[in-house]
Amino acid sequence: MAKESFDKEIQFLRMLVLTSGAYNRQQYADRLGISIHTFDKTIKRLKEVVNSVYQQLPEDKGKEFAETIRYSYLDSSEPMLLFLFRAKSLKESESQRLSLLLAAMHEKSFTAMELLDLCCSSMPEELSLPDEKTIRGDLKYLEQVGVIKKESGTRPFRYRIYNDLVKQLSRDELLDLYDFVDVMANTQIPSVQGYLLRDGVKKYMNRNQVDYGSVEPFLYKYHYYSRILDEAHLFTLLAAIRKRLTVSFLYFSPKKETSYTSKNTNPLFERDTEGQQETLLPLKVVYDHQYGRWYLLGHHARYGIKKYRMEGLTQISEEEAAPEALFESKKDELEQRIKHSWLIDTGKPVLVRVRFFHPGPHIPSFVMERVLLQGQWGTILEESEESFIYEIEVNGTIEIKPWIRSFGSSCEVLAPMKLRQELIEEWKEIKSYYESF
């Protein structure tokens, strides 16, 4: 994953796609909490990324950044926003350095000092030369992400490219691997690392002249942009949970007009931010399949159990580790609080009873199949030729209501009466939209 944060680019891309380019420069800058100058620098940076990743685009299709996004999205078998992860938000000197290291280790193994000498002799004059600490840091990073491998033996250790798997595969096995990774990356959660693996396999096949056909065997239409973007934070938070580390971040609620603010290092230009600075002991990450959203659940020292939409997290940093006993007790408390949550609701338990109707005689009941598949721990109490009754105890009705509503006229809420009345009012409102003028 990325070596540096790119919160600003993430929020920029989210707004760009969701608003379809409806904002002007000033509106974008205001929404992001940055200046016009910073906005223009971000646009320039993202254009460079697009040009480097999608060089195959026709020239007339790449004039405007927003147009490039829309054009490629329609004709691509992958989510366009993935290019941000490919860019890795590395500084130019880091990009040059890592490229030199990987190119050298592709042929044979090297020690850290040999790679230092190679970098110093090959780096462009305008870039600063690395020292031994920098090179060892780069090697540690590349080893952590699985790109290189430290060979066994005595010091000084030697490093080489770690591509043993693909080198041992035949042409047909490579094609099968590519197709498998393609399917899994487009259908499983999380998926960014799968896309990066798929691209790595494709590049290896291209370098070795393996023909995988002019037409991709699978084509996907991607819908949940935030899911891909929020995976930038996912592995940072999962690592913090494993290490029992508290995290600090600036949070922007989805209800706020501003979704980002720049870090002001000059005290003359300090300004109030609409974000909320938070410190949290992360306990669990939850994905909402219905809306394609990630949620962070954790313990707040002042407010207890708190929930955050991951799209609002920026400037995440790790703090001190929590005692194991405290972490386990708060984790048990959270599990008890969300034991009957349809998703993450921690409200009071309520019994929901719904009558679902079969589609008709001699027709397979797709309604029953869907309820059995998606109904979680709910149970079917009774069944007749016309309908069946489904019952479940959940923490509140807010999260389960969209699921029930999605069945339309194929279901009727029997209890609680409050939920039944809410749906009656909603369907009356929908009916009014279709009344004749």
Side-chain angles (χ1 to χ4, degrees):
M1 303 303 290
K3 197 174 180 182
E4 295 182 2
S5 171
F6 39 86
D7 293 329
K8 179 173 55 186
E9 290 84 355
I10 286 176
Q11 299 300 339
F12 178 89
L13 288 171
R14 180 178 283 114
M15 270 203 299
L16 177 67
V17 175
L18 295 180
T19 62
S20 299
Y23 288 175
N24 60 32
R25 290 166 65 244
Q26 186 62 57
Q27 289 171 321
Y28 266 118
D30 291 341
R31 182 73 190 229
L32 285 169
I34 59 178
S35 65
I36 288 286
H37 176 67
T38 304
F39 172 85
D40 291 337
K41 285 172 60 179
T42 306
I43 282 282
K44 182 180 179 182
R45 163 66 176 154
L46 292 174
K47 281 184 177 180
E48 291 173 353
V49 174
V50 170
N51 291 333
S52 64
V53 176
Y54 295 100
Q55 295 177 351
Q56 73 275 17
L57 285 179
E59 184 176 350
D60 59 334
K61 296 294 184 180
K63 292 182 179 179
E64 294 296 332
F65 180 69
E67 290 179 5
T68 302
I69 289 286
R70 286 196 289 267
Y71 169 79
S72 295
Y73 172 65
L74 293 174
D75 294 294
S76 176
S77 62
E78 63 186 66
M80 273 293 299
L81 304 181
L82 185 66
F83 78 81
L84 186 59
F85 288 84
R86 292 200 190 94
K88 298 287 180 65
S89 278
L90 294 176
K91 297 175 183 176
E92 184 178 0
S93 58
E94 291 172 331
S95 299
Q96 290 277 358
R97 208 167 55 240
L98 294 181
S99 297
L100 288 172
L101 294 176
L102 293 174
M105 289 182 284
H106 185 72
E107 299 297 332
K108 62 177 183 177
S109 60
F110 286 91
T111 65
M113 295 308 297
E114 289 173 340
L115 290 169
L116 174 62
D117 294 339
L118 187 147
C119 276
C120 290
S121 62
S122 305
M123 288 285 282
E125 294 182 0
E126 64 272 14
L127 298 179
S128 58
L129 297 179
D131 55 18
E132 181 183 351
K133 182 180 179 181
T134 302
I135 293 297
R136 293 193 181 277
D138 291 338
L139 292 174
K140 182 179 179 181
Y141 167 68
L142 292 173
E143 189 177 8
Q144 285 177 340
V145 297
V147 177
I148 65 173
K149 184 178 182 179
K150 183 193 297 182
E151 292 185 338
S152 58
T154 58
R155 292 177 181 273
F157 295 116
R158 306 185 74 85
Y159 298 86
R160 64 176 177 85
I161 291 289
Y162 187 39
N163 59 354
D164 298 359
L165 174 63
V166 291
K167 288 175 65 176
Q168 297 172 5
L169 298 179
S170 65
R171 174 189 176 280
D172 290 341
E173 289 172 334
L174 276 173
L175 293 175
D176 288 342
L177 174 63
Y178 176 82
D179 290 342
F180 174 78
V181 174
D182 189 28
V183 171
M184 297 300 287
N186 279 285
T187 58
Q188 300 299 308
I189 306 294
S191 53
V192 167
Q193 289 183 321
Y195 285 116
L196 298 176
L197 174 59
R198 183 195 63 175
D199 290 351
V201 174
K202 178 184 282 189
K203 290 176 181 177
Y204 179 83
M205 293 195 302
N206 286 335
R207 285 196 300 267
N208 291 273
Q209 300 179 339
V210 177
D211 181 21
Y212 55 90
S214 58
V215 179
E216 296 280 356
F218 307 102
L219 187 64
Y220 301 90
K221 185 71 171 178
Y222 202 81
H223 298 285
Y224 294 134
Y225 307 103
S226 291
R227 190 189 103 183
I228 289 290
L229 291 174
D230 294 339
E231 285 187 27
H233 302 316
L234 178 61
F235 296 96
T236 300
L237 295 172
L238 291 179
I241 292 174
R242 283 195 299 270
K243 300 173 185 177
R244 307 192 308 276
L245 298 175
T246 56
V247 294
S248 177
F249 53 85
L250 190 64
Y251 183 67
F252 293 86
S253 168
K255 298 178 182 179
K256 296 280 188 180
E257 291 187 359
T258 303
S259 61
Y260 175 82
T261 188
S262 58
K263 282 186 177 180
N264 295 297
T265 54
N266 190 331
L268 295 177
F269 293 94
E270 284 186 355
R271 56 184 168 184
D272 294 332
T273 173
E274 294 190 27
Q276 184 70 35
Q277 189 68 41
E278 301 278 14
T279 299
L280 186 80
L281 176 61
L283 301 172
K284 195 180 188 71
V285 174
V286 177
Y287 177 68
D288 180 2
H289 284 267
Q290 186 162 6
Y291 294 105
R293 295 171 181 160
W294 292 96
Y295 292 90
L296 171 64
L297 286 69
H299 172 71
H300 193 283
R302 182 175 179 183
Y303 300 107
I305 299 298
K306 286 202 70 175
K307 297 161 281 189
Y308 300 87
R309 287 254 293 269
M310 276 176 57
E311 67 189 71
L313 304 182
T314 64
Q315 302 176 23
I316 300 176
S317 61
E318 295 179 345
E319 305 291 334
E320 70 274 3
E324 184 176 358
L326 174 65
F327 180 84
E328 293 299 331
S329 66
K330 296 305 177 184
K331 188 176 180 179
D332 291 341
E333 178 187 346
L334 173 64
E335 294 298 336
Q336 287 299 317
R337 293 277 298 277
I338 65 173
K339 182 178 180 181
H340 293 106
S341 299
W342 185 258
L343 184 66
I344 58 171
D345 199 337
T346 54
K348 294 182 179 180
V350 58
L351 188 66
V352 175
R353 186 179 293 111
V354 183
R355 181 186 299 278
F356 289 95
F357 299 96
H358 295 300
H362 311 300
I363 301 176
S365 182
F366 59 85
V367 176
M368 170 75 82
E369 291 177 1
R370 184 179 166 198
V371 171
L372 291 174
L373 179 66
Q374 302 175 348
Q376 302 199 43
W377 61 90
T379 57
I380 295 175
L381 299 181
E382 58 184 75
E383 183 180 4
S384 65
E385 292 183 1
E386 294 80 21
S387 65
F388 61 93
I389 293 179
Y390 164 83
E391 188 176 89
I392 187 172
E393 184 180 36
V394 290
N395 291 348
T397 59
I398 294 176
E399 294 177 342
I400 196 175
K401 185 162 71 170
W403 180 73
I404 295 174
R405 189 170 49 213
S406 68
F407 285 89
S409 60
S410 295
C411 73
E412 174 193 4
V413 173
L414 305 178
M417 190 55 63
K418 181 181 178 182
L419 175 59
R420 179 183 175 90
Q421 193 59 42
E422 287 175 358
L423 288 170
I424 289 173
E425 296 301 321
E426 289 181 10
W427 288 116
K428 282 182 178 179
E429 182 179 356
I430 293 173
K431 180 177 179 292
S432 68
Y433 295 158
Y434 293 92
E435 292 179 351
S436 58
F437 292 101

